[in-house]
Amino acid sequence: MPGTRIRLTREELYKKVWAAPMRTVAQEFGLSASGLANVCRKHNVPVPPVGHWTKIEVGHKITPPPLVPELSGNEAVHIYVRERLSPELAALAAEIPPKVTIPKELSHALALKTEKLLASGKETEKKLIVPKAGTASHLLVSRDQLPRALRITNALFLALGERGHVVSWPKKDEHLTVSVDGEPVAISVREAIDSEKHVLTPAEQKHPWMAPKWDYKLTARLRLSIDNLPYSSGPVRGTWADGRIQLVENCLGDFIVGVKVAAAAIKKSRLEREDWACRREEERKQREDKERKAQEHKRRAEFITELIGNWEEAQRVRAFVKAMTECSGLLDLSEEEKRDIQQVVDWTNEYAESLDPFSDLPDSVDEFVHPERKYAWLKW
């Protein structure tokens, strides 16, 4: 989970906790006072006792106990501060969780459908029940825990529905989702499984490749999960599980609040992705527009260069025709020779005319400004 790592020495930490109250120093590190006290205890840094700062205020002079060097010689302290919820998510998370009662009998349509699917389900390699046909990816538990898990999901579906959150049955292999303010939140109830590396039996040692790699053990511990939290959601809570004292049944209110927080986090992440995609698309369009303008500039430059070249060539050809005509006028030529020369002159004049862009200036300008009219495959 994203956060901040603070590095300092034991002596620096010691000086800080004896220079100001624990609460003040803890705020500097982004911790609670008890959290900072745990850090000091872990690194054998003495802290002021209760009432220390009150005595200081009334004028008592107290000498702090010395900082004893660590036997290991390690004087470094690393404080890891988890990322905090954003203010808008923190406000949602601070909502008082509702009290959720768990009926003994199933009544919600989706809970009944789940029961029907799993009643005749088959066991996986991990001894978890899955439907023979269809899908119930929102509930993955052992047969012994199935009645309890169904009661939990039934109560959860009812409580969510009472608050206007629509629960949708998955299609194909999709997750069951709860719609909160239009955002789908995938939820599930699963049983935790312990695993350990499989030890080959004497019989399996003959064909070890056929033996399982792991042995799985059912724990009877259930876990409520939010399964589509984006990675960027940071410290948003995604699981509520059975513990040594805590039961999932007592966490349903907290889970409902957590679903609302998750929906807000999912929405925020979606909007950020959409904004990023819009920026990328705009940048792509700008690059393409820039490239198009560069290509058009190049095309026009090449076109003008070609026109200039043709015009200069036409001028050169006409100068040649003039010189040829003047030269032939100075010669004593027969009528047949004069006709031959005139034939060359006429063709060369036509050639010069075809080269000269000024001979049909509107057509030349039109191709410069509207090339797509002449070349239909061009798109601008």
Side-chain angles (χ1 to χ4, degrees), residues 94-160:
E95 180 182 325
I96 298 175
K99 293 183 179 179
V100 180
T101 57
I102 301 180
K104 292 183 179 179
E105 301 296 329
L106 304 185
S107 60
H108 194 281
L110 297 185
L112 291 169
K113 182 178 179 179
T114 305
E115 180 186 37
K116 184 178 179 180
L117 272 175
L118 295 178
S120 58
K122 57 185 179 181
E123 290 188 353
T124 67
E125 177 190 9
K126 298 179 181 180
K127 305 299 182 183
L128 301 176
I129 304 300
V130 295
K132 291 181 179 178
T135 179
S137 57
H138 57 283
L139 192 60
L140 192 59
V141 298
S142 63
R143 197 172 298 279
D144 289 343
Q145 291 301 312
L146 182 58
R148 178 191 172 202
L150 286 169
R151 289 194 300 271
I152 291 171
T153 54
N154 179 70
L156 187 58
F157 293 164
L158 291 172
L160 289 167

Side-chain angles (χ1 to χ4, degrees), residues 77-93:
V77 176
H78 298 271
I79 301 176
Y80 183 76
V81 184
R82 288 186 175 182
E83 182 184 349
R84 303 283 180 128
L85 285 173
S86 62
E88 61 272 20
L89 296 183
L92 289 173

Side-chain angles (χ1 to χ4, degrees), residues 17 70 119 141 316 347:
V17 298
E70 285 280 56
V141 298
R316 199 165 69 90
W347 184 91

Side-chain angles (χ1 to χ4, degrees), residues 298-362:
K298 180 182 178 182
R299 183 195 70 82
R300 290 185 171 188
E302 290 175 348
F303 185 79
I304 290 296
T305 301
E306 183 180 359
L307 290 183
I308 294 172
N310 289 342
W311 176 75
E312 290 177 343
E313 182 66 10
Q315 296 297 97
R316 199 165 69 90
V317 171
R318 288 186 179 122
F320 170 76
V321 170
K322 182 181 178 182
M324 177 182 285
T325 303
E326 291 175 351
C327 180
S328 64
L330 299 175
L331 299 175
D332 185 15
L333 302 173
S334 66
E335 289 301 320
E336 183 179 357
E337 289 173 332
K338 288 180 181 180
R339 285 195 300 271
D340 291 343
I341 291 173
Q342 188 59 44
Q343 186 177 351
V344 173
V345 168
D346 291 343
W347 184 91
T348 308
N349 276 328
E350 290 178 3
Y351 174 60
E353 193 73 10
S354 68
L355 288 174
D356 193 348
F358 296 156
S359 298
D360 191 358
L361 187 59

